């Protein structure tokens, strides 16, 4: 499209869609002081009619903390992360995430599934995928324009700059996972809930993600389900889910609770 | 030399048919991008087939055939969602039930109307007999569908690509699915004169499937699909004009299938 046609298209588009109201996806929230996550008596199940994954869990994670969630397969790590993300309702108990009950439509909370369920062969470039993080800032009826500085910055941060125009289905598992992290960055999330982010990564991607997490901004809280003892060692706080109960193994101040 | 191309353009019915295939082709191809990518081909078939009892019922009751068709298509969409909302009935079988029940109801109603011949155009299309009021219906359909797709482009794209992220952002993927089904119903009803209730699925699926082979972005898929539908539609009209043995609806579908076959054979693998 030539410059002139593009200009005309913009004018036409503006004339038609300029009249539509800009409605946010969800009401904006005001930040509240306090821990990033606080839960008491939390009980939840993976499925509404399924067995309970954990009962009466208490949990507190301060802002800026990097927490590792460990435990055997099927111990409820994914369910706990999904409850915090607002995707799965809790059966009982009280839980606050960034000062509010978990809910959908929260820009400040980002969640990365272990195996993201993306439509195969969808015609989408990596740049467009990362740009989706901006949608929450725009809301209904507002198109994001190309050339967004944050999108480029997030792509560079996760060393994806050269792949920006590549179709998503042509990316490796590690590149895709980094793209999804870049999307969470662009979203402006203050809490990252990561479900085994290293499961699909080769060593190179893993090092990039590791650096991203180590150099994260001070206010960014990370909760990561993992099976790897090395991740647990790099975390400020280690929580173990086992047999339906949650135990604190290690906390930010460096105290080892295993023998307490 | 250009006479075979120019001669039809002097006929008013041909010009109306051209306008109908251009507007209807773009509408079906752009909606078709979602139908193909979200694997909604079967539900789109159910919606297009359910138009039959809608139109025949409306004629028996003496109301507008477009209103009857739209009511029947929306009933099918709602009925499918309701049947599939309970465990034990997959969406697939819910669609199969609604499709066959609605089509059987259409056949029964046609028997009541005691006239099979009048409904040939409804089943197989009759774009060459499109009147001004049909053209108006196609134009309105195109406007409603294309403006809705444009206004909700990023939400529809997000919900179709990554439903869970759409939920997390609060972008209502369930609502977007319902909007798409309603738009497919509207598009199927508005474009029924092009190729008929039995073949409208072809206009949703074939151009967009070509677009998926050639486009790199969703907008690119829609643009390629629209080009295939419009050019295939025009070629089909000329084909049936010069070869009167070929009905226009069949001609349009066959002319759209040719570029799909070429793209399937020669498009670069990505």
């Amino acid at each position: 499209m030539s410059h002139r046609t593009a200009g005309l298209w913009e004018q036409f588009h503006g004339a038609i869609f300029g009249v539509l109201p800009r409605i946010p996806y969800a009401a904006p929230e005001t930040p509240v002081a306090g821990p990033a996550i606080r839960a008491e008596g939390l009980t939840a199940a993976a499925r509404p009619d399924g067995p309970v994954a954990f009962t009466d869990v208490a949990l507190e994670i301060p802002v800026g903390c990097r927490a590792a969630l460990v435990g055997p397969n099927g111990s409820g790590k994914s369910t706990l992360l999904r409850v915090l993300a607002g995707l799965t309702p809790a059966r009982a108990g009280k839980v606050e995430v960034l000062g509010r009950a978990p809910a959908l439509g929260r820009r400040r909370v980002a969640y990365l599934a272990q195996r993201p369920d993306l439509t195969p062969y969808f015609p989408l470039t990596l740049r467009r995928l990362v740009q989706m993080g901006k949608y929450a800032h725009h809301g209904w009826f507002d198109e994001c324009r190309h050339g967004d500085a944050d999108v480029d910055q997030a792509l560079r941060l996760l060393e994806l700059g050269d792949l920006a125009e590549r179709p998503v289905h042509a990316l490796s598992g590690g590149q895709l996972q980094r793209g999804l992290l870049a999307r969470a960055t662009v979203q402006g999330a203050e809490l990252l809930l990561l479900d085994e982010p290293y499961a699909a990564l080769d060593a190179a991607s893993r090092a990039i993600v590791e650096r991203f997490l180590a150099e994260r901004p001070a206010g960014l809280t990370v909760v990561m389900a993992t099976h790897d003892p090395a991740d647990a060692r790099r975390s400020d706080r280690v929580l173990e889910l086992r047999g339906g109960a949650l135990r604190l193994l290690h906390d930010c101040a460096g105290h080892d609770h295993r023998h307490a | 030399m250009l006479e075979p191309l120019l001669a039809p353009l002097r006929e008013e019915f041909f010009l109306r048919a051209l306008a109908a295939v251009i507007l209807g082709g773009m509408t079906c191809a752009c909606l078709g991008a979602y139908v193909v990518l979200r694997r909604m081909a079967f539900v789109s078939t159910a919606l297009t087939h359910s138009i039959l009892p809608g139109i025949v019922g409306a004629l028996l009751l003496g109301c507008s055939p477009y209103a009857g068709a739209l009511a029947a298509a929306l009933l099918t969409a709602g009925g499918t969602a309701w049947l599939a909302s309970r465990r034990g009935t997959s969406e697939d079988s819910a669609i199969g039930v609604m499709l066959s029940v609605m089509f059987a109801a259409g056949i029964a109603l046609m028997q009541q109307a005691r006239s099979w011949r009048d409904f040939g155009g409804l089943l197989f299309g009759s774009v060459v007999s499109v009147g001004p009021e049909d053209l108006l219906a196609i134009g309105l359909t195109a406007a409603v569908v294309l403006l809705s797709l444009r206004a909700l482009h990023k939400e529809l794209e997000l919900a179709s690509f990554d439903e869970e992220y759409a939920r997390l952002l609060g972008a209502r993927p369930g609502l977007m699915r319902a909007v798409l089904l309603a738009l497919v119903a509207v598009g199927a009803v508005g474009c029924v004169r092009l190729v008929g209730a039995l073949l409208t699925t072809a206009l949703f699926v074939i151009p967009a499937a070509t677009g998926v082979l050639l486009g790199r972005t969703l907008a690119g898929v829609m643009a390629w699909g629209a080009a295939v539908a419009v050019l295939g539609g025009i070629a089909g009209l000329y084909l049936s004009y010069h070869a009167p043995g070929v009905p226009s609806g069949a001609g349009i579908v066959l002319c759209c299938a040719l570029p799909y076959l070429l793209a399937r054979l020669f498009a670069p693998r990505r």
Side-chain angles (χ1 to χ4, degrees):
Chain A
M1 217 187 306
S2 78
H3 222 67
R4 204 180 135 77
T5 355
L8 279 174
W9 169 249
E10 292 276 311
Q11 269 186 11
F12 169 74
H13 190 269
I16 291 183
F17 294 103
V19 296
L20 291 172
R22 302 278 182 267
I23 305 167
Y25 292 148
E29 38 181 302
T30 35
V32 184
I37 296 169
R38 180 165 32 203
E40 271 169 39
L42 184 61
T43 302
R47 279 181 301 279
D49 49 356
V52 168
F54 48 81
T55 41
D56 202 17
V57 158
L59 170 72
E60 184 166 318
I61 295 172
V63 168
C65 180
R66 173 172 171 181
L69 188 58
V70 300
N73 285 334
S75 60
K77 301 190 294 295
S78 297
T79 305
L80 178 55
L81 291 178
R82 290 179 70 84
V83 168
L84 297 175
L87 286 165
T88 301
R91 285 257 175 102
K94 201 170 156 256
V95 57
E96 277 185 0
V97 175
L98 299 175
R100 274 184 51 186
L104 295 171
R106 296 188 71 188
R107 188 183 63 66
R108 301 167 70 207
V109 180
Y111 163 79
L112 254 69
Q114 190 178 348
R115 277 180 292 274
D117 185 15
L118 307 175
T119 302
Y121 298 101
F122 201 89
L124 195 80
T125 59
L126 175 61
R127 177 187 298 281
R128 185 82 180 166
L129 169 86
V130 175
Q131 207 177 29
M132 286 175 168
K134 296 291 284 183
Y135 289 5
H137 297 260
H138 289 260
W140 299 100
F141 308 125
D142 192 6
E143 189 59 39
C144 306
R145 297 269 161 241
H146 274 269
D148 226 320
D150 339 1
V151 173
D152 288 319
Q153 199 189 346
L155 283 165
R156 271 200 305 276
L157 192 64
L158 286 140
E159 300 189 19
L160 293 165
D162 302 340
L163 304 173
E165 302 307 323
R166 187 170 287 195
V168 166
H169 60 77
L171 298 173
S172 73
Q175 290 162 346
L176 178 63
Q177 192 73 280
R178 274 147 60 201
L180 295 172
L181 265 179
R183 182 170 77 175
T185 312
V186 167
Q187 184 189 326
E190 293 157 50
L191 172 64
L192 273 183
L193 303 166
L194 308 177
D195 197 350
E196 299 193 30
Y198 294 141
L201 301 198
D202 58 16
S205 281
R206 190 180 165 130
I208 294 166
V209 173
E210 187 42 55
R211 192 174 45 80
F212 168 81
L213 291 177
E215 295 171 4
R216 70 188 187 279
L220 181 63
T221 311
V222 178
V223 182
M224 177 164 107
T226 180
H227 283 292
D228 186 341
D231 290 333
R233 273 197 300 278
R234 278 190 285 263
S235 301
D236 306 314
R237 187 168 284 212
V238 182
L239 304 147
E240 186 189 43
L241 261 176
R242 187 182 286 274
L246 185 77
R247 278 201 315 153
L248 180 65
L249 294 185
H250 182 86
D251 81 7
C252 290
H255 302 303
D256 200 324
H257 288 253
R258 266 169 290 199
H259 309 293
Chain B
M1 194 184 81
L2 288 173
E3 192 49 25
L5 291 180
L6 294 177
L9 296 179
R10 288 186 211 106
E11 316 236 22
E12 202 181 328
F13 81 88
F14 195 85
L15 290 176
R16 273 204 295 267
L18 267 185
V21 294
I22 291 170
L23 288 170
M26 289 195 318
T27 306
C28 291
C30 290
L31 266 176
Y34 290 109
V35 170
V36 168
L37 290 166
R38 299 178 63 124
R39 300 168 187 223
M40 289 163 64
F42 192 31
V43 71
S44 81
T45 306
L47 292 181
T48 53
H49 281 54
S50 70
I51 288 172
L52 178 68
I55 292 187
V56 182
L59 289 179
L60 285 173
L61 292 172
C63 49
S64 156
Y66 283 112
L70 192 60
L74 293 176
L75 178 70
T76 306
T80 306
W82 180 71
L83 288 179
S85 66
R86 209 166 138 183
R87 274 196 172 192
T89 303
S90 70
E91 189 175 52
D92 228 32
S93 18
I95 296 167
V97 168
M98 285 307 291
L99 168 77
S100 32
V101 165
M102 292 300 277
F103 203 65
I107 293 170
L109 285 173
M110 269 167 38
Q111 201 65 271
Q112 296 297 309
R114 293 180 195 289
S115 158
W116 285 80
R117 214 186 312 156
D118 296 353
F119 298 113
L122 167 62
L123 290 172
F124 305 114
S126 55
V127 70
V128 285
S129 63
V130 158
E133 63 282 4
D134 295 312
L135 202 53
L136 182 69
I138 294 174
L140 278 177
T141 303
V144 167
V145 170
L146 295 176
L147 289 176
S148 307
L149 290 183
R150 186 70 200 89
L152 290 169
H153 181 76
K154 76 181 197 301
E155 285 79 19
L156 290 170
E157 182 186 48
L158 172 61
S160 306
F161 169 66
D162 188 348
E163 190 179 332
E164 188 162 84
Y165 193 60
R167 279 181 75 199
L168 283 164
L169 289 187
R172 313 283 302 273
L175 178 66
M176 289 302 103
R177 189 187 152 74
V179 165
L180 268 183
L181 273 179
L183 288 178
V184 170
V186 169
V189 170
C191 299
V192 70
R193 295 301 297 269
L194 263 58
V195 296
L198 292 183
L199 280 176
T200 300
T201 311
L203 284 191
F204 285 123
V205 175
I206 299 175
T210 319
V212 168
L213 291 172
L214 299 172
R216 286 171 63 87
T217 62
L218 185 55
V221 169
M222 289 180 176
W224 277 108
V228 167
V230 167
L231 293 177
I234 295 173
L237 279 185
Y238 273 102
L239 179 67
S240 70
Y241 183 89
H242 291 295
V246 182
S248 56
I252 291 171
V253 171
L254 291 175
C255 287
C256 288
L258 188 66
Y260 170 71
L261 195 65
L262 292 176
R264 178 67 187 75
L265 289 173
F266 300 114
R269 256 171 218 275
R270 285 197 302 269

